[in-house]
Amino acid sequence: MQRLITWILILCFVSPLCFCESLMRSTNTNSVIDNGATGDGKTDDSQAFLSAWQKTCSAKGASTLVIPSKVVFLLKKKIIFKGPCQATNINIQLQGNITVATQSAWLGDKSTIISITNVNGLTIDGSGGSIDGSGSSWWSCKTCPRPSVLSFNACNNLSVANLTIRNSPQAHITINGCVGATFSRITIVSPGDSPNTDGIDISSSKNILIKESNIATGDDCIAIIGDSSFINVTRISCGPGHGISIGSLGRDQVHDMVEQVYVHNCSFTKTTNGARIKTFQGGQGSARNITYEGITLTQVFNPIIINQNYMDEGGGVQVSGVTFRGFKGTSADDKAITLACGSQGCFNIVLDQVSITSSLPGKPTSCSCMNAHGTATSTVPNCASLLK
């Protein structure tokens, strides 16, 4: 041992930047196995995850938390990965599989299963791993509190890639109060009849990019809600699900604002909605400067819809500057375009290069407009009821 220590000291003296920094980096890797996780799929590994996180967060320099491959980790309690951290950059490598306890065995609160809060410069790579929320044990009680699987709160400069989440009790991923985040190659899978299982919910966040992902859920594939801006969504395959939605906005008479949203090069397959904006009565705020472009539709109900009467209430949120461009494909019924605006009206609505036909041979499609102002060019079906 003394000889080993001597050699380390010599190497540090000769090449400190090469050897010693490499040695320090290696010691900043924390495996949940080394912190007490069993990975047998039967024993609760929640505390081991927390212990590994505490070491990862408090390390100096770059730090890595590893969830190893070829094993299954069971979580029975809520896990909070909380910052701010001393580590300058943190990487979480999800190589193995995480399964969540069933409803009857769950011991944590029912808000979120894994919560990541106030951690900046975080990178998550889910290559080879997955998270299963055991949602089927929760879904039978639609009115019961149910947790989301993964939440990000006040995390800036965030990168999440190659992540697979299945069967969340409620929303799969929530993003709240984050600035500068990229989600790529995300796979989300839940049955089409699973209740309120949104794929990705974005709130109070800006500069968010979601790309190259496949989402199949029982609710919105992506929902962009209050006080969010500069949201870019591209190359998303959605279905089953309720489409990519703005809102709902104005719930409980609150002030909500969503602006500068660009959804492009996405596909919807057998979804209950395609491009959707939904608002509640009495709320304040706006949805503006929103573009859906380059959208492919396959047997989609409500391919284009603005609904200011969501939940059978009149609209109060102002909707303006919304563009639907380059839509092609089929509608599952005759209602291809529905612009149902409240009494205050929606303004600067643009329909351009839209071609939506019925998936039923020989059946027509229709466009219905109420208090909607804008223009329609090269659009099928014809939107003669759109006001100037």
Side-chain angles (χ1 to χ4, degrees):
M1 179 61 73
Q2 183 62 41
R3 182 176 296 178
L4 176 62
I5 294 173
T6 301
W7 275 108
I8 290 175
L9 291 174
I10 291 171
L11 287 169
C12 285
F13 177 77
V14 173
S15 182
L17 292 179
C18 178
F19 177 77
C20 290
E21 288 188 6
S22 176
L23 182 64
M24 179 177 292
R25 284 194 296 270
S26 67
T27 59
N28 285 349
T29 297
N30 298 285
S31 169
V32 295
I33 292 287
D34 294 337
N35 285 270
T38 62
D40 62 4
K42 300 177 182 179
T43 306
D44 182 17
D45 290 322
S46 303
Q47 186 56 50
F49 275 61
L50 289 174
S51 297
W53 171 255
Q54 290 165 2
K55 293 177 182 178
T56 302
C57 183
S58 61
K60 294 182 179 179
S63 189
T64 299
L65 188 155
V66 177
I67 302 165
S69 62
K70 300 180 181 179
V71 286
V72 177
F73 300 96
L74 176 65
L75 301 182
K76 287 188 174 183
K77 302 172 186 174
K78 178 179 180 178
I79 291 177
I80 302 177
F81 291 166
K82 188 175 182 180
C85 294
Q86 185 171 348
T88 53
N89 292 287
I90 294 178
N91 178 25
I92 297 177
Q93 296 179 2
L94 175 58
Q95 302 167 354
N97 299 308
I98 296 173
T99 186
V100 178
T102 60
Q103 182 184 29
S104 59
W106 178 251
L107 302 176
D109 71 42
K110 295 179 175 63
S111 57
T112 303
I113 293 161
I114 301 173
S115 175
I116 302 177
T117 301
N118 201 20
V119 181
N120 296 331
L122 173 66
T123 298
I124 298 177
D125 185 356
S127 298
S130 67
I131 305 174
D132 192 318
S134 299
S136 60
S137 67
W138 299 78
W139 296 330
S140 60
C141 182
K142 296 183 180 181
T143 59
C144 295
R146 289 176 280 128
S148 57
V149 164
L150 180 60
S151 70
F152 297 94
N153 304 289
C155 295
N156 301 330
N157 302 318
L158 169 68
S159 176
V160 181
N162 308 309
L163 182 63
T164 297
I165 302 179
R166 300 183 181 91
N167 302 319
S168 177
Q170 194 156 298
H172 291 74
I173 297 173
T174 65
I175 305 165
N176 180 61
C178 297
V179 178
T182 297
F183 290 76
S184 58
R185 299 179 298 281
I186 307 299
T187 299
I188 291 173
V189 181
S190 282
D193 60 354
S194 56
N196 305 114
T197 52
D198 286 7
I200 301 175
D201 285 346
I202 304 169
S203 62
S204 302
S205 298
K206 63 182 180 180
N207 298 327
I208 307 298
L209 170 62
I210 303 174
K211 64 178 183 177
E212 299 164 2
S213 298
N214 298 309
I215 303 176
T217 72
D219 210 302
D220 293 324
C221 290
I222 298 173
I224 304 164
I225 53 180
D227 299 325
S228 294
S229 59
F230 297 97
I231 310 299
N232 191 337
V233 177
T234 182
R235 298 190 295 280
I236 304 298
S237 175
C238 170
H242 294 184
I244 297 177
S245 299
I246 309 299
S248 54
L249 304 179
R251 184 190 295 268
D252 299 326
Q253 301 183 349
V254 300
H255 185 285
D256 279 329
M257 182 174 69
V258 171
E259 61 183 1
Q260 303 296 342
V261 175
Y262 187 34
V263 179
H264 58 113
N265 297 335
C266 296
S267 66
F268 300 99
T269 302
K270 297 182 178 180
T271 53
T272 61
N273 302 280
R276 176 166 67 158
I277 298 174
K278 50 182 178 175
T279 71
F280 282 90
Q281 181 185 30
Q284 301 179 18
S286 62
R288 63 187 182 189
N289 300 329
I290 296 164
T291 297
Y292 291 87
E293 184 172 16
I295 305 299
T296 301
L297 309 161
T298 304
Q299 297 181 41
V300 175
F301 291 92
N302 302 309
I304 294 174
I305 179 169
I306 296 176
N307 186 2
Q308 289 206 284
N309 301 303
Y310 187 61
M311 300 297 288
D312 298 322
E313 297 179 358
V317 176
Q318 296 179 0
V319 176
S320 64
V322 181
T323 297
F324 304 97
R325 175 177 289 118
F327 280 61
K328 62 180 180 179
T330 59
S331 176
D333 63 11
D334 64 313
K335 299 176 182 179
I337 301 172
T338 302
L339 307 178
C341 301
S343 58
Q344 78 275 28
C346 304
F347 295 90
N348 298 323
I349 308 301
V350 175
L351 297 165
D352 181 37
Q353 301 177 52
V354 174
S355 178
I356 305 175
T357 59
S358 176
S359 61
L360 303 173
K363 298 291 184 180
T365 55
S366 65
C367 173
S368 172
C369 300
M370 178 181 295
N371 301 320
H373 300 255
T375 60
T377 55
S378 302
T379 293
V380 176
N382 182 27
C383 289
S385 56
L386 183 63
L387 303 173
K388 300 298 184 180

